[in-house]
Amino acid sequence: MSYPYQIRSFEEYQVAYKKSVENPESFWEEIASNFKWHKKWDAVLNWNFNEPKVEWFKGGQLNITENCLDRWVEIQPNAPAIIWEANNPDEKDRTLTYKELHQQVGQFANVLKNNGARKGDRICIYMPMVPELAIAVLACARIGAIHSVVFGGFSAQSVSDRIQDAQCNIVITADGAFRGNKTIPLKSVIDEALITCPSIQKVIVLSRTGIAVSMMNERDTWWEDEMKKVADAPLCPAEIMDAEDMLFILYTSGSTGKPKGVVHTCGGYMVWTNYTFVNVFQYQSGQVHFCTADIGWVTGHSYIIYGPLSAGATTLMFEGIPTWPNAGRFWDIIEKHKVEILYTAPTAIRSLMAFGKDPIEGKDLSTLKVLGTVGEPINEEAWHWYDDNIGKNNSPIVDTWWQTETGGVLISNLAGVTKAKPSFATLPLPGVQPVLVDENGNEVSGNNVSGNLCIKFPWPGMLRSTYGDHERCRTTYFSTYKNLYFTGDGCLRDSDGDYRITGRVDDVLNVSGHRIGTAEVENAINMHSGVVESAVVGYHHDIKGQGIYAYVILNSMHTDEAHMRQDISQTVAKVIGAIAKPDKIQFVSGLPKTRSGKIMRRILRKIAEGETSNLGDTTTLLDPLIVEEIKNNKL
Ligand code: WT7
């Protein structure tokens, strides 16, 4: 099996890129014809960035699961589709061939139908990293239901917000999840969330950990029992979808308000995840691809499930964490399953780096051919450690820049095909037209320049809307600069024309590769009854990339500070999830504000970074003295 649209040399990249810009419609039409469609599209592309309206392959009919499953069952029924490695290394791994996965998906799709699911329904999935999570996702797509996967680390409140926003009618969950030496009670989080979610009719519960759960009459049912009921039924046929029908919603944080539901559609997303998977990682038939992300994030959607499976690849799913039972776990998995492509995050690399070389000693990593990184800028030290110790200077590293909103990779080198450069994502993929703009919205041309990163032409995998609030999609991404999609990232283009992403320019933090809005954390902190006001900023953190620094005004300064810090952290964990707990909480008597009442975050950011001079102009502040107090008590 080979991919006719796989770019194999720098010259081919240049030809493809040029064609994608000069003649995007015929470029994408040719690529899209490699997939299984029931009816051809009426138009390759309709678009304007003002509404915004973006349609790819409109009128085309397909089902993404036929492209991920049925297509491969015909060609390679016994090829492994999913290899699963359990949290506990003593538990046996599992392999599902394409035939088996197809069968499980078809069966679980029948379960969903039996429980009242129909095309267009929204289904919330809150599960551990087990094959049934992938089966649940694909079964939704099979029947045309829209999945909304929520990461298992989010709190009941966060789950409830997301279920209500999308008005889901079904939840798929498990009794619990194993993560390292912990057992996380997923079902009880769902029970708490559902108190405020009247739209939910059914909860399907996979048994994974065996911990005690309460099952509510009529509403809750076991996955295993439901599967038995449909054991003899014919497998569920694929629902015919329009290319522009919704495939999924995935919630992500922004600079204001609650997380928004990014909407992706069937046709364009399929083509984009497949095209980027095959080209960025240079996937070759039979290779084992190990993406270490959780399926609760977009990386898992695109590069554990849809990209690899639509390419007939073998995708490895790992239930646990990189440091349990010890810091050699990734390397054991690579040796055991002969992994050829490893795709992970800088934060994971840095945390493993901290354990030194011992955990790698004696591990056979010789199967590795391609290494990938994603989620945040990678510092040069981590890049070289990855290159020297994991790739043995023999595996190209792809630094892949993209976002939940972009569906798949937009800027990256192509493994071994275009050159790598430490800490640079390098060049745009065919179809991607990046521009840098200055603060006045003017395009900065030429090389050796920096600016805010925008994209000026649609690509098939881009978001179509934010669920239930299209205007929010317009204001967030398409109104800052006219006729441009604004990414929220700062970026520079060096003398070679290579792109280096420098990080967010808005109030969004990137903590261990997780995207968290400062406003969200502030709202959570302010829910604590002892808090008057707070301001949250990011600061450099050696392992996490960014840490969360909170400045908090209490309504009484006489309480036990250590205890208060714990309480506030607990509140944040309850409202958002443990991933958003502040790393530092400094109690202050006031915040630096302008006369119009705006918090001067610029100053707070600098103090959190440890700067003492050069705080900029503070004379316009309502109370300039507060800056001295905050500086003197910095943590
Ligand atoms: C933000 C998007 C893309 C999947 C995981 C994160 C940052 C992502 C890189 C990279 C520098 C990166 C950006 C982006 N980011 N990849 N290779 N180099 N920064 O998805 O949660 O939507 O976050 O992650 O700041 O805007 P996400």
Side-chain angles (χ1 to χ4, degrees), residues 115-145:
N115 282 277
R118 295 291 173 265
K119 178 177 179 177
D121 287 354
R122 278 79 55 215
I123 296 182
C124 174
I125 302 179
Y126 188 70
M127 289 180 80
M129 280 286 287
V130 291
E132 285 75 11
L133 165 51
I135 292 166
V137 164
L138 291 164
C140 288
R142 189 80 175 170
I143 64 167

mmCIF file of all heavy atoms in Angstrom, residues 115-145:
data_model
loop_
_atom_site.group_PDB
_atom_site.id
_atom_site.type_symbol
_atom_site.label_atom_id
_atom_site.label_comp_id
_atom_site.label_asym_id
_atom_site.label_seq_id
_atom_site.Cartn_x
_atom_site.Cartn_y
_atom_site.Cartn_z
ATOM 1 N N ASN A 115 -30.160 2.677 22.047
ATOM 2 C CA ASN A 115 -30.340 3.590 23.168
ATOM 3 C C ASN A 115 -30.854 4.954 22.715
ATOM 4 O O ASN A 115 -30.745 5.945 23.446
ATOM 5 C CB ASN A 115 -29.041 3.710 23.962
ATOM 6 C CG ASN A 115 -28.848 2.499 24.868
ATOM 7 O OD1 ASN A 115 -29.392 2.445 25.967
ATOM 8 N ND2 ASN A 115 -28.117 1.493 24.373
ATOM 9 N N GLY A 116 -31.372 4.968 21.500
ATOM 10 C CA GLY A 116 -32.073 6.171 21.050
ATOM 11 C C GLY A 116 -31.244 7.162 20.258
ATOM 12 O O GLY A 116 -31.738 8.228 19.895
ATOM 13 N N ALA A 117 -29.978 6.850 19.988
ATOM 14 C CA ALA A 117 -29.140 7.812 19.262
ATOM 15 C C ALA A 117 -29.524 7.875 17.791
ATOM 16 O O ALA A 117 -29.802 6.850 17.172
ATOM 17 C CB ALA A 117 -27.672 7.427 19.386
ATOM 18 N N ARG A 118 -29.534 9.089 17.242
ATOM 19 C CA ARG A 118 -29.850 9.311 15.838
ATOM 20 C C ARG A 118 -28.826 10.254 15.228
ATOM 21 O O ARG A 118 -28.152 10.982 15.952
ATOM 22 C CB ARG A 118 -31.249 9.946 15.695
ATOM 23 C CG ARG A 118 -32.398 9.051 16.165
ATOM 24 C CD ARG A 118 -32.590 7.841 15.246
ATOM 25 N NE ARG A 118 -33.581 6.912 15.792
ATOM 26 C CZ ARG A 118 -33.306 5.837 16.535
ATOM 27 N NH1 ARG A 118 -32.058 5.560 16.863
ATOM 28 N NH2 ARG A 118 -34.262 5.042 16.981
ATOM 29 N N LYS A 119 -28.791 10.271 13.906
ATOM 30 C CA LYS A 119 -27.922 11.205 13.183
ATOM 31 C C LYS A 119 -28.131 12.641 13.702
ATOM 32 O O LYS A 119 -29.264 13.074 13.894
ATOM 33 C CB LYS A 119 -28.285 11.147 11.695
ATOM 34 C CG LYS A 119 -27.503 12.096 10.832
ATOM 35 C CD LYS A 119 -27.886 11.913 9.363
ATOM 36 C CE LYS A 119 -27.101 12.885 8.501
ATOM 37 N NZ LYS A 119 -27.366 12.703 7.073
ATOM 38 N N GLY A 120 -27.045 13.329 13.935
ATOM 39 C CA GLY A 120 -27.129 14.722 14.375
ATOM 40 C C GLY A 120 -27.159 14.898 15.890
ATOM 41 O O GLY A 120 -26.933 16.000 16.393
ATOM 42 N N ASP A 121 -27.436 13.814 16.648
ATOM 43 C CA ASP A 121 -27.413 13.914 18.117
ATOM 44 C C ASP A 121 -25.991 14.197 18.585
ATOM 45 O O ASP A 121 -25.034 13.785 17.944
ATOM 46 C CB ASP A 121 -27.851 12.577 18.752
ATOM 47 C CG ASP A 121 -29.345 12.339 18.607
ATOM 48 O OD1 ASP A 121 -30.055 13.240 18.121
ATOM 49 O OD2 ASP A 121 -29.790 11.232 18.991
ATOM 50 N N ARG A 122 -25.880 14.844 19.747
ATOM 51 C CA ARG A 122 -24.559 15.046 20.339
ATOM 52 C C ARG A 122 -24.362 14.040 21.463
ATOM 53 O O ARG A 122 -25.249 13.866 22.323
ATOM 54 C CB ARG A 122 -24.388 16.464 20.877
ATOM 55 C CG ARG A 122 -24.011 17.480 19.807
ATOM 56 C CD ARG A 122 -25.176 17.936 18.967
ATOM 57 N NE ARG A 122 -26.243 18.448 19.802
ATOM 58 C CZ ARG A 122 -27.544 18.321 19.572
ATOM 59 N NH1 ARG A 122 -27.964 17.677 18.487
ATOM 60 N NH2 ARG A 122 -28.444 18.800 20.405
ATOM 61 N N ILE A 123 -23.208 13.386 21.446
ATOM 62 C CA ILE A 123 -22.912 12.352 22.428
ATOM 63 C C ILE A 123 -21.607 12.695 23.137
ATOM 64 O O ILE A 123 -20.582 12.923 22.486
ATOM 65 C CB ILE A 123 -22.821 10.969 21.742
ATOM 66 C CG1 ILE A 123 -24.203 10.624 21.151
ATOM 67 C CG2 ILE A 123 -22.327 9.896 22.712
ATOM 68 C CD1 ILE A 123 -24.293 9.265 20.486
ATOM 69 N N CYS A 124 -21.682 12.757 24.462
ATOM 70 C CA CYS A 124 -20.492 13.083 25.245
ATOM 71 C C CYS A 124 -19.737 11.798 25.593
ATOM 72 O O CYS A 124 -20.342 10.806 26.003
ATOM 73 C CB CYS A 124 -20.910 13.808 26.524
ATOM 74 S SG CYS A 124 -19.541 14.097 27.653
ATOM 75 N N ILE A 125 -18.423 11.809 25.395
ATOM 76 C CA ILE A 125 -17.595 10.640 25.711
ATOM 77 C C ILE A 125 -16.574 11.051 26.773
ATOM 78 O O ILE A 125 -15.824 12.017 26.588
ATOM 79 C CB ILE A 125 -16.884 10.120 24.435
ATOM 80 C CG1 ILE A 125 -17.924 9.755 23.359
ATOM 81 C CG2 ILE A 125 -15.996 8.927 24.768
ATOM 82 C CD1 ILE A 125 -17.327 9.255 22.043
ATOM 83 N N TYR A 126 -16.589 10.354 27.898
ATOM 84 C CA TYR A 126 -15.712 10.678 29.035
ATOM 85 C C TYR A 126 -15.115 9.365 29.508
ATOM 86 O O TYR A 126 -15.692 8.657 30.321
ATOM 87 C CB TYR A 126 -16.578 11.328 30.126
ATOM 88 C CG TYR A 126 -15.843 11.897 31.310
ATOM 89 C CD1 TYR A 126 -15.051 13.037 31.196
ATOM 90 C CD2 TYR A 126 -15.982 11.327 32.579
ATOM 91 C CE1 TYR A 126 -14.412 13.581 32.296
ATOM 92 C CE2 TYR A 126 -15.353 11.860 33.686
ATOM 93 C CZ TYR A 126 -14.565 12.995 33.534
ATOM 94 O OH TYR A 126 -13.936 13.539 34.635
ATOM 95 N N MET A 127 -13.986 8.993 28.898
ATOM 96 C CA MET A 127 -13.479 7.630 29.069
ATOM 97 C C MET A 127 -11.970 7.569 29.268
ATOM 98 O O MET A 127 -11.258 8.501 28.906
ATOM 99 C CB MET A 127 -13.838 6.791 27.825
ATOM 100 C CG MET A 127 -15.312 6.469 27.707
ATOM 101 S SD MET A 127 -15.637 5.486 26.241
ATOM 102 C CE MET A 127 -15.148 3.862 26.807
ATOM 103 N N PRO A 128 -11.502 6.455 29.808
ATOM 104 C CA PRO A 128 -10.055 6.243 29.888
ATOM 105 C C PRO A 128 -9.500 5.898 28.516
ATOM 106 O O PRO A 128 -10.268 5.636 27.576
ATOM 107 C CB PRO A 128 -9.922 5.050 30.841
ATOM 108 C CG PRO A 128 -11.230 4.343 30.817
ATOM 109 C CD PRO A 128 -12.272 5.305 30.346
ATOM 110 N N MET A 129 -8.178 5.841 28.402
ATOM 111 C CA MET A 129 -7.526 5.519 27.126
ATOM 112 C C MET A 129 -7.507 4.000 26.912
ATOM 113 O O MET A 129 -6.474 3.341 27.049
ATOM 114 C CB MET A 129 -6.098 6.072 27.137
ATOM 115 C CG MET A 129 -6.047 7.549 26.833
ATOM 116 S SD MET A 129 -6.334 7.910 25.082
ATOM 117 C CE MET A 129 -4.791 7.338 24.395
ATOM 118 N N VAL A 130 -8.671 3.477 26.559
ATOM 119 C CA VAL A 130 -8.806 2.054 26.246
ATOM 120 C C VAL A 130 -9.390 1.955 24.835
ATOM 121 O O VAL A 130 -9.971 2.929 24.341
ATOM 122 C CB VAL A 130 -9.721 1.334 27.273
ATOM 123 C CG1 VAL A 130 -9.036 1.267 28.635
ATOM 124 C CG2 VAL A 130 -11.073 2.021 27.397
ATOM 125 N N PRO A 131 -9.245 0.797 24.153
ATOM 126 C CA PRO A 131 -9.743 0.699 22.774
ATOM 127 C C PRO A 131 -11.224 1.072 22.649
ATOM 128 O O PRO A 131 -11.650 1.599 21.622
ATOM 129 C CB PRO A 131 -9.517 -0.776 22.422
ATOM 130 C CG PRO A 131 -8.362 -1.185 23.264
ATOM 131 C CD PRO A 131 -8.512 -0.427 24.558
ATOM 132 N N GLU A 132 -11.996 0.828 23.718
ATOM 133 C CA GLU A 132 -13.424 1.154 23.667
ATOM 134 C C GLU A 132 -13.671 2.648 23.471
ATOM 135 O O GLU A 132 -14.726 3.051 22.979
ATOM 136 C CB GLU A 132 -14.143 0.651 24.924
ATOM 137 C CG GLU A 132 -14.356 -0.863 24.944
ATOM 138 C CD GLU A 132 -13.082 -1.659 25.240
ATOM 139 O OE1 GLU A 132 -12.065 -1.052 25.637
ATOM 140 O OE2 GLU A 132 -13.108 -2.899 25.058
ATOM 141 N N LEU A 133 -12.708 3.464 23.865
ATOM 142 C CA LEU A 133 -12.847 4.906 23.612
ATOM 143 C C LEU A 133 -12.823 5.160 22.102
ATOM 144 O O LEU A 133 -13.667 5.887 21.563
ATOM 145 C CB LEU A 133 -11.729 5.670 24.341
ATOM 146 C CG LEU A 133 -11.457 7.123 23.946
ATOM 147 C CD1 LEU A 133 -12.702 7.976 23.951
ATOM 148 C CD2 LEU A 133 -10.419 7.721 24.899
ATOM 149 N N ALA A 134 -11.861 4.553 21.408
ATOM 150 C CA ALA A 134 -11.802 4.709 19.949
ATOM 151 C C ALA A 134 -13.052 4.101 19.306
ATOM 152 O O ALA A 134 -13.610 4.659 18.353
ATOM 153 C CB ALA A 134 -10.541 4.049 19.402
ATOM 154 N N ILE A 135 -13.501 2.973 19.847
ATOM 155 C CA ILE A 135 -14.704 2.320 19.310
ATOM 156 C C ILE A 135 -15.917 3.233 19.476
ATOM 157 O O ILE A 135 -16.726 3.401 18.558
ATOM 158 C CB ILE A 135 -14.917 0.957 20.015
ATOM 159 C CG1 ILE A 135 -13.800 -0.013 19.596
ATOM 160 C CG2 ILE A 135 -16.312 0.378 19.720
ATOM 161 C CD1 ILE A 135 -13.684 -1.264 20.462
ATOM 162 N N ALA A 136 -16.021 3.883 20.637
ATOM 163 C CA ALA A 136 -17.151 4.790 20.902
ATOM 164 C C ALA A 136 -17.136 5.964 19.928
ATOM 165 O O ALA A 136 -18.171 6.341 19.353
ATOM 166 C CB ALA A 136 -17.097 5.285 22.345
ATOM 167 N N VAL A 137 -15.952 6.540 19.741
ATOM 168 C CA VAL A 137 -15.812 7.682 18.832
ATOM 169 C C VAL A 137 -16.256 7.282 17.422
ATOM 170 O O VAL A 137 -17.069 7.955 16.776
ATOM 171 C CB VAL A 137 -14.331 8.170 18.829
ATOM 172 C CG1 VAL A 137 -14.042 9.067 17.633
ATOM 173 C CG2 VAL A 137 -14.004 8.887 20.137
ATOM 174 N N LEU A 138 -15.728 6.157 16.943
ATOM 175 C CA LEU A 138 -16.025 5.713 15.577
ATOM 176 C C LEU A 138 -17.483 5.281 15.428
ATOM 177 O O LEU A 138 -18.091 5.484 14.366
ATOM 178 C CB LEU A 138 -15.077 4.580 15.179
ATOM 179 C CG LEU A 138 -13.601 5.005 15.002
ATOM 180 C CD1 LEU A 138 -12.678 3.799 14.988
ATOM 181 C CD2 LEU A 138 -13.422 5.838 13.719
ATOM 182 N N ALA A 139 -18.054 4.727 16.499
ATOM 183 C CA ALA A 139 -19.465 4.313 16.427
ATOM 184 C C ALA A 139 -20.372 5.539 16.294
ATOM 185 O O ALA A 139 -21.381 5.501 15.585
ATOM 186 C CB ALA A 139 -19.842 3.486 17.661
ATOM 187 N N CYS A 140 -20.015 6.622 16.957
ATOM 188 C CA CYS A 140 -20.780 7.867 16.782
ATOM 189 C C CYS A 140 -20.716 8.285 15.319
ATOM 190 O O CYS A 140 -21.745 8.567 14.685
ATOM 191 C CB CYS A 140 -20.205 8.996 17.650
ATOM 192 S SG CYS A 140 -20.519 8.814 19.415
ATOM 193 N N ALA A 141 -19.495 8.315 14.781
ATOM 194 C CA ALA A 141 -19.319 8.736 13.386
ATOM 195 C C ALA A 141 -20.068 7.793 12.438
ATOM 196 O O ALA A 141 -20.584 8.218 11.407
ATOM 197 C CB ALA A 141 -17.836 8.772 13.035
ATOM 198 N N ARG A 142 -20.127 6.518 12.806
ATOM 199 C CA ARG A 142 -20.808 5.526 11.969
ATOM 200 C C ARG A 142 -22.279 5.875 11.770
ATOM 201 O O ARG A 142 -22.835 5.734 10.690
ATOM 202 C CB ARG A 142 -20.712 4.145 12.649
ATOM 203 C CG ARG A 142 -21.178 2.977 11.796
ATOM 204 C CD ARG A 142 -20.109 2.595 10.853
ATOM 205 N NE ARG A 142 -20.373 1.407 10.053
ATOM 206 C CZ ARG A 142 -19.594 1.062 9.038
ATOM 207 N NH1 ARG A 142 -18.540 1.791 8.720
ATOM 208 N NH2 ARG A 142 -19.870 -0.021 8.324
ATOM 209 N N ILE A 143 -22.922 6.335 12.835
ATOM 210 C CA ILE A 143 -24.364 6.626 12.745
ATOM 211 C C ILE A 143 -24.639 8.113 12.512
ATOM 212 O O ILE A 143 -25.786 8.563 12.533
ATOM 213 C CB ILE A 143 -25.117 6.151 14.011
ATOM 214 C CG1 ILE A 143 -24.662 6.918 15.259
ATOM 215 C CG2 ILE A 143 -24.942 4.636 14.207
ATOM 216 C CD1 ILE A 143 -25.579 6.728 16.458
ATOM 217 N N GLY A 144 -23.578 8.899 12.339
ATOM 218 C CA GLY A 144 -23.778 10.331 12.082
ATOM 219 C C GLY A 144 -24.082 11.140 13.325
ATOM 220 O O GLY A 144 -24.534 12.286 13.233
ATOM 221 N N ALA A 145 -23.820 10.555 14.510
ATOM 222 C CA ALA A 145 -23.958 11.345 15.739
ATOM 223 C C ALA A 145 -22.655 12.122 15.949
ATOM 224 O O ALA A 145 -21.591 11.688 15.515
ATOM 225 C CB ALA A 145 -24.229 10.425 16.923
#
